[in-house]
Amino acid sequence: MIEVWLLALMVLSNGFSSTGAAMHNSTRPDFVNIGALFSYNTSVGRTIKIAIEAAVEDVNSDPNILGQTKLNLSLQEDSKYRGFLSIAEVLQVMARHTVAIIGPHSSVTAHVVTHIANELQVPLLSFSALDPTLSSLQFPFFIRTCHSDLYQMAAIADLVDYYDWKDVIAVYIDDDNGRNGIGALGDKLAEKRSRISYKAPLSPEASMEEITNVLVQVALAESRVIVVHANTQWGPKVFTVANNLGMMGTGYVWIATAFLSALLDINSPVSSDTMDEIHGVLTPRIYTPDSELKRRFVSRWKNVTSGNTANVPLGLSFLALYAYDTVYVLAHALDTFLKQGNQITFSTDSKLSSIHGDNLHLDALKIFNEGNLLRGNIYEVNMTGVSGPFKYTSDRNLVNPAYEIINVVGTGVRRIGYWSNYSGLSVVPPEALYSKPANLSRVNQKLFPVIWPGNTDQRPRGWVFPNNGRLLKIGVPKAVIYPEFVSQIKGTDMFQGFCIDVFLAAVNLLPYAVPYKFIPYGDGKNNPSATELTRLITTGEFDGAVGDIAITTERTRMVDFTQPYIESGLVVVAPVKRAESNALAFLAPFTPKMWCVTAIFFILVGAVVWILEHRVNDEFRGPPKKQVVTVLWFSFSTMFFSHRENTVSTLGRFVLIIWLFVVLIVNSSYTASLTSILTVQQLYSPIKGIESLVNGKEPIGYTQGSFARNYLVQEIGIDESRLVPLTTAEEAAKALRNGPQNGGVAAYIDELAYIDIFLSTRCDLTVVGREFTRNGWGFAFPRDSPLSVDLSTAILQMIDNGDLQRIHDKWLLSIACLSQGAKFEVERLQLKSFWGLYMICGLACLLALFIYFIQIWRQYRKHYSEELESSDGQSLGSSRSVRLKTFLSFVDEKEETIKSVSKRRKMERISYRSSEGGSSINSNKGYASRRSECGTEV
């Protein structure tokens, strides 16, 4: 750093002057000094220079912006982005009392000169130094007038995720801009569960040979998705070398950052040879929406570039648009600054004044006293320029970052979509989506088809097995139990078994070759831990694991599993005994509760039918003893549909029909259950399932190395001291037969796939209860390995075409023990299976009784009122007991008798009224004759 300052100060001593800013006594100066720091001897630099000069000319000719104040532009050459010389160059600009500097072009230079800008409080406005770290609080006077590379890397990460690629190779210049940009890309990829699998840094001055060496290493890597982050001078060399190495063919994916789209726009039209080298490449281009201002500037661009010194056509890129707008942003900020009554003043830096030396002339460097005010005004600018709306957010970034996704095809480019931080990937312009609710869901991400390297429209897989002779190390558990699943062929390094055949068949279905070798894991004397095997995948000792490996929560946190190729949950095995029949076997089909409820309903229905039939049916009348016998006989005879009593009432028949249906269902179920009990062999065990073991204290066996141990202790809560590890199937069978009393175990817990083979030759043991976990077996690979996805697809294909079932039958189809067809204990019929029928029958009885009593009450009221009339209105008894006795007598009376009594009383009333009517007529006749006699006498 001492040498840098010495060189800079020597330059100062040779030509710096202490001229101040040109101002008069007025508060508004005649002109304001601004600087521009770029390399103007490149095509990019020339377009930037033209755009800046055009903007300064437009501002100075527009009295509505700065009034009578003019911008005085000082163009300073940046020595090809070398930070060492850039210090002296920026000092030359600042010594001219400039209030702001447009530039520098590169982030490397910006990292250097921003320290000087901070010290002298001169804002740096850059539209091309896009390093995300330049936005930090460390550089308050660095103002980016274009979108940060952070958004560009987010767009590339979304692009990688859209095509389901997981690993990316980054080729970049090893400088501040390259490292920080790739660091941002790595962060954005991590958010999508992707990663940079290999970084290939290159020196800023790398030769073609160095580039070749780096790309050769890239070609040997697994990933085929390559992101190139470079500048317009160095980037094209990478594609030239890649094309010479055959890396621009089918299977490769090349994504270049915005340098490539800028280069294509500036040098348009590009030679066919150059376009052939980058055929199929994807590159983002900063999106600038269409507007009248932009269209006018585009039509003007050819005129302003026609006189450039290189005499070559210069196309219009986003750099020229943002260069033009940057001048206008500065002009608007200066206008606001001057309208606020501020003056442009400079003062000596006391820190520089304290440094003494010969011919240094440090007093030429002045602090811009109002630099903070101007910086604040720049961030307050809100305008619409040729690049679109220009406004800063609270985090000092421009609003609405958006990119076009460009596909290089043939001799030109085609747009396949857009990206914005508001809507992600889409095929419609971002401004059309700003008015709609933000939706970044994966289903809404869309792009048009792409022509990839190799001139194919088929999406590249994005990875291959490294072409370096290395084989995948596949760990295979070397267990001592159940060789049907996995076993090593003696004297060889080969394996066989169900799991091995499934893996080999799945690999054969892949559209590419998989170089691998099986490596045994375990000593062959004890069953190895599958959890430890999966952990070794995370350490890199194995590249995958194949075998009888259950998919558990703990293991899925470490590795990725394929689609399960066999279902296998934990079950309980216990010894069983044959259940002998006894004299009360006929009671076994029903539970005691079921028997009780059924008996109650038999009596209840008989009583209801008796009530409904008692007044109308002579078969349900008679002495009390006879009626009780009739109710019981009728009720239980319906069980066999042999009741001889006829029902004559409508309500009685309604209840009886429903009850007979219930009896039919109950009878059929009882017959079927009893037949099963008496004809099918029954087994008995005191262990009913995992619940019995949790509540007991007996020892429990499990297979050594199985995940069952941790599950029983951590999830079920069984004490660890009760668990007994068992190594072989024979050892497990012996422990079960010995039982807890003889040093054995009460139950044995293992996976169902193992138990099916275990029980095929052991008829005195069986599974009790149900599976209490739902696991499957899969092949394990590192996290985000594409091989796990492709093998999962192959396994599903094997399920569809029946290959998986054929492999299963080859290894695991065995003759089941005869006792496996026996039932475990008695499956009694419970009340919960019939409560619906009983509820319907009960409601029918209640409804019939309700209707019946309403009818009885109406008949009683009518009969009671007739008795009152016949007794000349005298009460038959006012006490409740008398009325109740009267009502019960009425209910007990036969309905036919009641009707005959009522009919007789009605006839008596009619005859009584007739006799009274005759007496009245005779008396009227006598009265009339007497009146006639009296009249004669008169």
Side-chain angles (χ1 to χ4, degrees):
M1 195 64 186
I2 296 176
E3 291 83 0
V4 173
W5 279 106
L6 287 175
L7 176 63
L9 295 176
M10 288 174 63
V11 175
L12 289 174
S13 64
N14 289 330
F16 280 7
S17 64
S18 56
T19 351
M23 298 181 61
H24 50 68
N25 293 331
S26 172
T27 56
R28 293 185 71 98
D30 292 332
F31 62 88
V32 177
N33 292 326
I34 63 173
L37 184 64
F38 291 94
S39 178
Y40 304 115
N41 58 355
T42 64
S43 58
V44 176
R46 283 192 291 271
T47 60
I48 291 174
K49 178 183 177 182
I50 293 171
I52 292 177
E53 288 177 338
V56 170
E57 181 183 350
D58 292 345
V59 169
N60 289 337
S61 62
D62 187 355
N64 295 323
I65 299 181
L66 285 172
Q68 299 300 320
T69 303
K70 307 298 182 183
L71 295 178
N72 184 28
L73 176 65
S74 297
L75 295 173
Q76 181 64 48
E77 178 75 17
D78 186 3
S79 303
K80 296 184 179 180
Y81 320 132
R82 289 182 174 89
F84 181 77
L85 296 179
S86 298
I87 295 176
E89 292 159 353
V90 76
L91 289 175
Q92 290 181 7
V93 179
M94 290 185 176
R96 298 171 188 145
H97 290 185
T98 56
V99 297
I101 297 176
I102 300 175
H105 182 85
S106 72
S107 298
V108 175
T109 304
H111 273 280
V112 176
V113 300
T114 46
H115 293 284
I116 302 174
N118 289 346
E119 182 66 27
L120 300 181
Q121 299 183 16
V122 176
L124 291 178
L125 290 80
S126 180
F127 49 84
S128 55
L130 306 181
D131 181 355
T133 62
L134 287 170
S135 299
S136 68
L137 297 177
Q138 183 184 2
F139 309 110
F141 281 88
F142 178 83
I143 302 173
R144 184 182 291 109
T145 56
C146 190
H147 299 298
S148 166
D149 268 348
L150 183 68
Y151 299 110
Q152 179 178 205
M153 298 309 173
I156 293 175
D158 281 352
L159 199 62
V160 171
D161 182 62
Y162 177 79
Y163 291 109
D164 291 323
W165 297 316
K166 296 301 180 182
D167 289 345
V168 169
I169 295 176
V171 179
Y172 60 96
I173 302 177
D174 192 13
D175 57 15
D176 292 330
N177 182 62
R179 287 189 299 270
N180 296 331
I182 294 303
L185 176 62
D187 294 339
K188 293 300 180 180
L189 287 173
E191 295 176 5
K192 306 294 182 180
R193 288 198 64 182
S194 299
R195 65 187 179 113
I196 299 176
S197 60
Y198 181 73
K199 293 183 179 180
L202 280 166
S203 168
E205 304 295 335
S207 63
M208 298 296 282
E209 182 181 357
E210 291 174 330
I211 296 175
T212 301
N213 294 335
V214 170
L215 291 186
V216 167
Q217 297 300 318
V218 170
L220 295 177
E222 179 178 330
S223 176
R224 283 293 180 264
V225 182
I226 305 170
V227 177
V228 181
H229 185 40
N231 54 43
T232 53
Q233 291 183 333
W234 177 86
K237 298 178 182 179
V238 174
F239 293 104
T240 300
V241 175
N243 187 61
N244 294 335
L245 293 175
M247 298 174 64
M248 299 300 297
T250 304
Y252 281 91
V253 177
W254 289 87
I255 302 174
T257 51
F259 79 88
L260 183 60
S261 60
L263 194 63
L264 292 174
D265 290 338
I266 292 171
N267 296 332
S268 179
V270 182
S271 66
S272 59
D273 292 340
T274 302
M275 295 300 290
D276 289 341
E277 292 177 350
I278 57 176
H279 179 78
V281 176
L282 298 180
T283 177
R285 177 168 62 193
I286 292 181
Y287 174 68
T288 54
D290 189 29
S291 65
E292 183 61 30
L293 283 174
K294 181 180 177 181
R295 286 193 293 271
R296 288 204 301 264
F297 187 77
V298 170
S299 63
R300 177 187 173 192
W301 181 252
K302 186 176 182 180
N303 295 329
V304 298
T305 58
S306 58
N308 69 88
T309 57
N311 200 25
V312 293
L314 294 175
L316 180 62
S317 72
F318 75 90
L319 291 171
L321 296 175
Y322 278 94
Y324 186 88
D325 279 350
T326 299
V327 175
Y328 264 84
V329 168
L330 180 57
H332 281 290
L334 283 170
D335 186 50
T336 304
F337 172 84
L338 295 174
K339 286 180 179 178
Q340 292 171 348
N342 298 309
Q343 295 186 2
I344 298 176
T345 62
F346 293 86
S347 61
T348 304
D349 190 345
S350 59
K351 298 177 183 178
L352 293 178
S353 301
S354 62
I355 301 176
H356 300 283
D358 296 335
N359 302 322
L360 293 180
H361 296 288
L362 296 179
D363 55 343
L365 297 176
K366 303 294 184 180
I367 295 177
F368 179 28
N369 296 325
E370 291 78 21
N372 267 316
L373 295 176
L374 179 59
R375 181 173 66 94
N377 287 330
I378 293 173
Y379 282 124
E380 294 296 326
V381 170
N382 185 2
M383 72 172 200
T384 299
V386 295
S387 62
F390 200 103
K391 182 181 179 181
Y392 284 97
T393 61
S394 58
D395 60 353
R396 304 198 305 178
N397 285 310
L398 292 179
V399 297
N400 301 333
Y403 293 84
E404 297 175 87
I405 308 300
I406 303 301
N407 181 204
V408 181
V409 180
T411 58
V413 297
R414 57 189 290 266
R415 183 175 54 228
I416 62 170
Y418 303 87
W419 178 92
S420 72
N421 68 333
Y422 183 80
S423 57
L425 298 171
S426 67
V427 294
V428 297
E431 63 268 19
L433 300 175
Y434 291 145
S435 59
K436 301 178 181 179
N439 191 343
L440 293 172
S441 63
R442 187 178 178 87
V443 295
N444 286 324
Q445 306 298 293
K446 295 180 181 179
L447 290 175
F448 289 120
V450 177
I451 302 299
W452 303 100
N455 202 33
T456 177
D457 59 355
Q458 296 296 319
R459 180 188 71 87
R461 190 169 66 247
W463 67 279
V464 295
F465 286 101
N467 189 21
N468 53 12
R470 179 180 175 272
L471 300 178
L472 293 180
K473 296 179 293 184
I474 304 297
V476 181
K478 191 177 180 181
V480 296
I481 192 171
Y482 306 119
E484 293 88 349
F485 294 103
V486 177
S487 63
Q488 186 173 11
I489 301 175
K490 292 183 179 180
T492 69
D493 57 354
M494 301 175 62
F495 287 82
Q496 63 179 2
F498 170 72
C499 302
I500 300 299
D501 280 5
V502 171
F503 176 76
L504 295 177
V507 168
N508 289 334
L509 292 176
L510 298 180
Y512 50 85
V514 180
Y516 66 90
K517 62 178 179 179
F518 289 136
I519 299 177
Y521 174 71
D523 57 8
K525 299 179 181 178
N526 298 292
N527 296 315
S529 170
T531 301
E532 181 63 20
L533 175 58
T534 55
R535 189 192 66 79
L536 292 177
I537 296 176
T538 64
T539 64
E541 184 169 342
F542 293 109
D543 299 311
V546 171
D548 45 350
I549 304 173
I551 304 173
T552 65
T553 303
E554 180 184 4
R555 296 169 186 172
T556 53
R557 294 192 182 106
M558 297 185 288
V559 297
D560 280 349
F561 282 93
T562 62
Q563 168 78 19
Y565 56 87
I566 189 172
E567 298 296 330
S568 183
L570 292 178
V571 294
V572 179
V573 176
V576 292
K577 299 178 180 179
R578 295 183 180 180
E580 300 296 337
S581 182
N582 54 61
L584 300 178
F586 67 92
L587 296 175
F590 289 166
T591 61
K593 184 183 293 186
M594 179 68 180
W595 278 116
C596 293
V597 172
T598 303
I600 291 172
F601 263 86
F602 269 107
I603 297 174
L604 177 63
V605 170
V608 170
V609 172
W610 177 83
I611 293 173
L612 298 175
E613 295 290 323
H614 179 66
R615 301 184 70 242
V616 296
N617 194 338
D618 290 335
E619 294 184 1
F620 289 87
R621 299 186 64 82
K625 182 177 180 181
K626 177 184 176 183
Q627 293 183 50
V628 171
V629 173
T630 299
V631 169
L632 295 177
W633 167 255
F634 177 82
S635 299
F636 289 100
S637 62
T638 57
M639 182 186 301
F640 311 103
F641 304 96
S642 59
H643 52 285
R644 66 171 183 265
E645 293 81 7
N646 293 322
T647 52
V648 296
S649 68
T650 303
L651 292 176
R653 290 174 177 176
F654 168 70
V655 171
L656 185 60
I657 288 174
I658 294 179
W659 172 243
L660 291 178
F661 175 73
V662 174
V663 170
L664 175 65
I665 299 300
V666 173
N667 266 347
S668 301
S669 302
Y670 174 86
T671 304
S673 180
L674 183 61
T675 302
S676 175
I677 291 172
L678 297 178
T679 57
V680 180
Q681 180 182 354
Q682 304 295 325
L683 302 176
Y684 169 77
S685 173
I687 305 296
K688 310 301 180 185
I690 188 64
E691 297 80 7
S692 303
L693 298 176
V694 172
N695 299 325
K697 295 183 179 180
E698 299 85 358
I700 304 169
Y702 70 95
T703 302
Q704 182 190 29
S706 170
F707 75 95
R709 178 184 176 279
N710 290 338
Y711 185 85
L712 293 174
V713 174
Q714 298 173 6
E715 303 296 333
I716 304 297
I718 294 177
D719 190 82
E720 188 174 358
S721 61
R722 296 175 56 193
L723 301 180
V724 180
L726 302 171
T727 305
T728 64
E730 292 73 18
E731 184 180 352
K734 181 179 179 182
L736 283 171
R737 289 166 180 149
N738 289 340
Q741 298 81 7
N742 300 317
V745 296
Y748 173 55
I749 295 178
D750 206 346
E751 298 177 65
L752 182 59
Y754 296 140
I755 296 304
D756 287 340
I757 297 178
F758 177 76
L759 296 179
S760 62
T761 57
R762 298 171 176 87
C763 300
D764 55 337
L765 306 173
T766 191
V767 174
V768 293
R770 300 179 179 179
E771 288 182 76
F772 55 93
T773 65
R774 295 290 182 182
N775 300 97
W777 291 357
F779 307 131
F781 294 95
R783 297 297 297 271
D784 299 322
S785 171
L787 194 57
S788 62
V789 178
D790 292 346
L791 282 177
S792 295
T793 304
I795 291 172
L796 291 175
Q797 185 177 347
M798 292 170 59
I799 294 174
D800 292 339
N801 61 26
D803 287 348
L804 188 60
Q805 184 62 44
R806 282 188 286 272
I807 297 174
H808 178 276
D809 295 343
K810 171 186 174 182
W811 288 98
L812 307 181
L813 188 62
S814 57
I815 300 175
C817 182
L818 294 177
S819 66
Q820 298 305 310
K823 284 191 175 182
F824 183 67
E825 294 188 343
V826 178
E827 296 180 0
R828 290 188 164 190
L829 300 175
Q830 300 181 5
L831 179 62
K832 64 181 181 181
S833 302
F834 298 91
W835 71 268
L837 284 173
Y838 285 127
M839 183 180 69
I840 293 173
C841 183
L843 291 176
C845 292
L846 291 176
L847 179 63
L849 289 175
F850 179 73
I851 296 173
Y852 173 76
F853 282 114
I854 288 177
Q855 293 175 347
I856 290 295
W857 179 254
R858 291 180 62 186
Q859 292 177 8
Y860 173 72
R861 294 286 295 177
K862 182 179 180 181
H863 179 73
Y864 185 69
S865 61
E866 290 175 352
E867 285 193 355
L868 287 177
E869 290 179 4
S870 64
S871 59
D872 296 332
Q874 294 180 359
S875 174
L876 295 177
S878 58
S879 66
R880 293 182 179 179
S881 60
V882 173
R883 287 198 298 270
L884 179 60
K885 290 179 180 179
T886 304
F887 178 74
L888 293 178
S889 299
F890 177 80
V891 171
D892 184 61
E893 195 70 37
K894 191 174 181 180
E895 185 174 351
E896 184 179 348
T897 304
I898 298 297
K899 289 181 178 180
S900 62
V901 171
S902 297
K903 184 176 181 181
R904 187 177 64 253
R905 287 178 178 173
K906 184 177 181 181
M907 296 300 296
E908 289 177 353
R909 285 196 302 271
I910 293 173
S911 62
Y912 176 74
R913 288 173 182 173
S914 298
S915 62
E916 282 188 346
S919 300
S920 176
I921 292 172
N922 291 333
S923 62
N924 288 336
K925 287 181 179 181
Y927 176 73
S929 62
R930 285 196 299 270
R931 287 191 62 183
S932 176
E933 291 175 359
C934 291
T936 304
E937 291 177 358
V938 173

